[in-house]
């Protein structure tokens, strides 16, 4: 768990999550010290779509794990909005292993609700609805291994959304997909996000993806990761990735990434 | 093709040697197999004795499965217990189950299962189920099941545990919905190995002192009387049943675990 009580105080009412001065150092099995995060400051507003971008190995997964409560920081603090509890307000789509291979799709999507004690009929109805919304209504009896990578990520999204999180963490969920599938899923994610008041913290190292999705982009430096720039992206949606304002943003992000690393 | 050729060779070989008490023709063996209810030497038929062996195995195996899975799951999930039991396990595991026989006879004498419950003669097949046999069978089945379960639990990917945790699963729910299903393929593999080993062990145990029935006993008894057709018929039955047990377990596994071996 985090070093501090997550509900002690929240600086402003429109922020759901604040990380302050978060440090994390790993000791590898050979005894080497790997400083993954150094003094990371980050906040996520209510309903905001924040994209975290940084070079590989800069500690993005580490930061999400700490925010999700799977790992604890060595220093600094994590705070959530009052009344927020990770157990029922937070969902996390991992970089790998995003589904249970022994469960059919419907049971995978219904997992979170099952853990919360929602009766079978109700949770299955909700899972069915979500599978339909991610375009996999016909696959509820399939096993994950029977799906393509893109389909699996759709299910993972449905699985996370089933618990109606107020904060959704996503770790390079579309990283292994081809371009067309990736575009489809980005659009799907934006559509789903816009129908809720959920905040999303989305990790990627794809600049194009960052500018397509984000309402704000946080650029991390190479290891040890620090937030080096905070770039708001207030372009109207749906975004035309060939238009001038879009490519301007792209350039700004690219400069921020390359000036530091 | 190959079995047919062997059968023909056997047929003419036996005819040429012409010592049917040592090298019976396949026709005589087939005749024994075609009459499984025929009594032999007042010991009961091939079918009777096969059934006795099977009942012994199933009882011993069930006990081994219950304890093996429980202990495997327990030690797999609680690493503190593991350190406590591991040395004991490592010493007992390499021990051939048959080595327990003198100990089993000393402790259980020739007591049968009904006698354990105070019934001297139940006049059922269970009168042939000696506690000592169960004990030996237990050791035969226990270790494959226990070690497979333990390996299964320890091999559960941390990612699945984290995923369950992020979706709100508490410790007990993680046990029920992650540890258990994720290690089920290994548990069933343990069952398959354990059952196979039990079938091995019972045949050997029935040939040793303290035995009074079973297909292994009949085989050895027939051999002493130079009834090689019964011996070979028994061997065929033992082989076929062993294969059937293995096949059943494999089919069960495939039916239950359509996802197995297809990790994503
Ligand atoms: N459990 C661990 N033990 C030791 N070192 C670790 C551990 N987890 C991460 N690290 C190290 O911390 C650094 C940051 O890792 P992290 O997985 O957070 O990077 P990332 O930004 O997510 O990279 P990628 O974009 O490739 O996923 C890496 O150098 C990694 O080797
Ligand atoms: Mg990562």
């Amino acid at each position: 768990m985090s070093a501090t009580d997550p509900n002690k105080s929240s600086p402003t009412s429109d922020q759901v999550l604040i990380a302050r001065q978060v440090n994390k150092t790993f000791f590898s099995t050979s005894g080497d010290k790997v400083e993954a995060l150094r003094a990371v400051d980050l906040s996520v507003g209510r309903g905001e779509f924040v994209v975290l971008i940084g070079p590989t190995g800069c500690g993005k997964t580490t930061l999400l794990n700490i925010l999700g409560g799977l790992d604890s920081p060595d220093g600094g603090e994590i705070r959530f909005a009052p009344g927020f509890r990770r157990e029922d307000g937070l969902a996390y789509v991992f970089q790998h292993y995003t589904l249970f291979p022994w469960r059919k799709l419907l049971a995978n999507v219904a997992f979170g609700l099952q853990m919360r004690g929602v009766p079978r009929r109700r949770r299955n109805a909700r899972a069915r609805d979500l599978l339909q919304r991610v375009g996999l209504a016909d696959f509820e009896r399939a096993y994950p291994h029977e799906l393509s990578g893109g389909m699996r990520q759709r299910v993972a999204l449905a699985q996370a959304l089933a618990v109606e999180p107020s904060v959704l963490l996503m770790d390079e969920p579309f990283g292994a997909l081809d371009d067309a599938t990736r575009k489809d899923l980005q659009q799907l994610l934006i559509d789903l996000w816009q129908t809720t008041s959920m905040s999303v913290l989305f990790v990627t190292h794809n600049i194009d993806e960052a500018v397509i999705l984000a309402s704000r982009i946080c650029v991390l430096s190479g290891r040890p990761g620090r937030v080096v720039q905070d770039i708001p992206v207030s372009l109207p949606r749906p975004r035309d990735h060939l238009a001038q304002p879009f490519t301007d943003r792209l350039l700004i992000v690219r400069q921020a990434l390359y000036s530091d690393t | 093709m190959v079995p047919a050729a062997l059968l023909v060779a056997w047929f003419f070989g036996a005819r040429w040697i012409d010592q049917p008490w040592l090298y019976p023709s396949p026709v005589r063996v087939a005749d024994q197999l075609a009459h499984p209810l025929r009594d032999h030497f007042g010991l009961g038929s091939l079918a009777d004795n096969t059934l006795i062996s099977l009942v012994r195995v199933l009882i011993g195996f069930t006990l081994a499965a219950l304890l093996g899975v429980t202990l495997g799951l327990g030690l797999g999930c609680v690493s503190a217990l593991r350190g406590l039991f591991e040395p004991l396990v490592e010493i007992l595991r390499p021990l051939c189950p048959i080595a327990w026989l003198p100990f089993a006879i000393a402790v259980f004498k020739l007591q049968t299962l009904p006698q354990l419950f105070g019934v001297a003669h139940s006049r059922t097949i269970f009168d042939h189920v000696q506690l000592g046999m169960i004990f030996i069978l237990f050791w035969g089945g226990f270790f494959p099941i226990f070690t497979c379960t333990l390996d299964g639990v320890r091999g559960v990917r941390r990612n699945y545990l984290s995923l369950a945790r992020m979706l709100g699963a508490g410790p007990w729910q993680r046990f029920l919905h992650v540890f258990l299903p994720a290690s089920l393929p290994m548990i069933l593999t343990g069952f398959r190995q354990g059952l196979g080993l039990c079938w091995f062990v019972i045949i050997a145990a029935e040939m040793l002192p303290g035995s009074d029935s079973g297909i292994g006993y009949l085989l050895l008894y027939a051999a002493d009387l130079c009834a090689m057709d019964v011996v070979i018929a028994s061997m065929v039955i033992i082989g076929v049943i062993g294969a059937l047990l293995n096949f059943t377990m494999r089919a069960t596994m495939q039916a239950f675990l359509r996802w197995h071996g297809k990790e994503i």
Side-chain angles (χ1 to χ4, degrees), chain A residues 24-29 32 34-37 54-65 71 95-96 171-172 203-205 220 223 225:
Chain A
K24 182 72 185 180
T25 302
F26 290 108
F27 293 92
S28 68
T29 30
D32 297 329
V34 180
E35 192 178 9
L37 299 171
T56 180
C58 74
K60 304 182 293 292
T61 300
T62 305
L63 182 58
L64 284 205
N65 283 346
D71 209 341
Q95 193 168 4
H96 307 289
D171 191 1
E172 294 189 45
V203 164
T204 184
H205 49 222
L220 283 181
R223 198 173 58 233

Side-chain angles (χ1 to χ4, degrees), chain A residues 45-58:
Chain A
R46 204 174 295 279
E48 203 176 15
F49 199 123
V50 178
V51 169
L52 206 57
I53 191 167
T56 180
C58 74

